[in-house]
Amino acid sequence: MKKFIGLKARVFLVAFAFGFWLGCSKEDSRNEELKEIVNEEGETETVDTSANKKSVGDSANDLLSDTKYTELKLELFYVEGFKPENATIENFENFLNSRLHKSQGISIEMKPMASQEKETYTTQEIRALEDSIRTLYNKDKSLAVFGIFLDGEYAENTENGSVLGIAYRNTSFVIFEETVQSFSGQTFGPSLEVLESTVLNHEFGHLLGMVNAGTPMQNPHQDEEHGRHCTNDNCLMYWTAETGEGLINMLSGGSIPEFDSQCLADLQANGGK
């Protein structure tokens, strides 16, 4: 009997310890999602950032449609000396208005920041940087997107390709502006405006769930060999738009690529224009 009671006691203690650990783990995780920010009224408030820390494509319908969020606010940081062209931001705003239903409007705020003095950035480092400087998050009927234009290059660049940008969370993207600028000005090459606009629109396309990553395909057109990209080499979502070497060849005509008919059909079926 004593052995049985001892066994029950040990089982209870283990179960209690596991439950306590699990509760603490959930609480710790919860605390990591809470952040104090200074809001637009200049007041300090605690916000839950979890809705802006999901996988790429998870907010595709929220971005495209007017159902849950009627307003879109973009907070775009840039390292001083690496601000995108004004024409690029105008192109981007036109791109967004042409595809997204946002009855209360779309706004873009540009914010300068000091260099981190880094030659390369990993995705983990970019996430950490975002967490330290981002101030806009989803609130009420307003959806927030974060973007950053960096000096330095992507840590996973190879001899075969220099990455120009990546979408790494459901409402977050990075443009490696120094790398983008290094490919501009080439003889007979596209202008910096065209390069920047193509990369920016392409990465936002991934936030919109393209291709087959949050926005379902109406007909098969995913280039599975190159991940979440389109099979049409004239489409904005063709895979070469992400590397400098590939993009230079893709932009031989000197104009900004657009979504092809297959991608447009997908976006419209998921709530977009």
Side-chain angles (χ1 to χ4, degrees):
M1 178 63 74
K2 289 182 179 179
K3 289 183 179 179
F4 179 70
I5 293 174
L7 177 61
K8 288 179 67 178
R10 285 196 296 271
V11 170
F12 173 78
L13 287 172
V14 170
F16 174 78
F18 177 75
F20 178 76
W21 173 84
L22 185 60
C24 287
S25 297
K26 288 181 177 179
E27 187 63 29
D28 290 344
S29 176
R30 169 68 175 167
N31 289 338
E32 288 178 1
E33 306 298 346
L34 298 178
K35 179 180 179 180
E36 283 195 351
I37 63 168
V38 177
N39 61 29
E40 295 173 330
E41 289 73 36
E43 302 170 339
T44 299
E45 66 175 309
T46 301
V47 298
D48 184 350
T49 66
S50 59
N52 297 97
K53 292 184 177 180
K54 298 180 180 181
S55 299
V56 175
D58 281 0
S59 293
N61 179 260
D62 290 340
L63 287 162
L64 289 163
S65 74
D66 208 39
T67 304
K68 185 175 181 180
Y69 297 101
T70 57
E71 179 184 34
L72 176 63
K73 293 183 177 181
L74 295 103
E75 183 178 35
L76 305 184
F77 285 84
Y78 62 91
V79 173
E80 294 189 50
F82 293 93
K83 182 181 181 181
E85 301 276 288
N86 291 334
T88 298
I89 300 304
E90 291 177 9
N91 293 338
F92 184 46
E93 190 168 9
N94 291 334
F95 167 80
L96 297 174
N97 280 304
S98 69
R99 298 289 158 235
L100 312 185
H101 287 287
K102 289 291 171 270
S103 58
Q104 296 304 307
I106 297 172
S107 61
I108 299 177
E109 184 177 4
M110 304 296 297
K111 296 184 176 182
M113 59 172 286
S115 171
Q116 302 297 296
E117 304 297 337
K118 294 176 64 66
E119 293 185 359
T120 63
Y121 293 87
T122 65
T123 305
Q124 184 177 0
E125 289 170 335
I126 295 167
R127 288 194 183 104
L129 179 57
E130 173 189 349
D131 293 342
S132 69
I133 63 176
R134 180 170 181 165
T135 66
L136 294 183
Y137 295 89
N138 298 354
K139 183 178 180 180
D140 301 326
K141 301 289 284 184
S142 178
L143 177 62
V145 168
F146 171 90
I148 187 168
F149 295 80
L150 287 177
D151 55 348
E153 62 183 33
Y154 191 39
E156 296 184 26
N157 280 353
T158 67
E159 294 180 356
N160 298 322
S162 302
V163 175
L164 302 178
I166 57 172
Y168 58 91
R169 281 174 174 162
N170 60 319
T171 61
S172 307
F173 66 87
V174 58
I175 306 298
F176 297 99
E177 180 66 17
E178 185 173 4
T179 304
V180 173
Q181 291 185 12
S182 71
F183 282 94
S184 68
Q186 298 185 14
T187 305
F188 303 116
S191 67
L192 179 57
E193 174 193 339
V194 171
L195 280 172
E196 289 175 339
S197 296
T198 301
V199 178
L200 187 52
N201 293 358
H202 178 94
E203 296 310 325
F204 203 88
H206 285 308
L207 298 189
L208 298 180
M210 307 304 293
V211 170
N212 198 28
T215 290
M217 292 187 295
Q218 301 307 293
N219 293 293
H221 63 104
Q222 179 186 354
D223 180 2
E224 295 184 6
E225 182 181 349
H226 295 102
R228 304 298 192 174
H229 291 102
C230 183
T231 53
N232 184 349
D233 59 7
N234 291 315
C235 177
L236 173 66
M237 298 313 298
Y238 193 61
W239 71 273
T240 56
E242 287 187 347
T243 63
E245 294 81 0
L247 186 56
I248 291 296
N249 294 327
M250 180 181 180
L251 297 178
S252 57
S255 59
I256 304 167
E258 298 181 353
F259 291 119
D260 73 349
S261 59
Q262 299 267 47
C263 284
L264 277 178
D266 295 348
L267 294 171
Q268 290 167 353
N270 197 28
K273 295 180 181 178

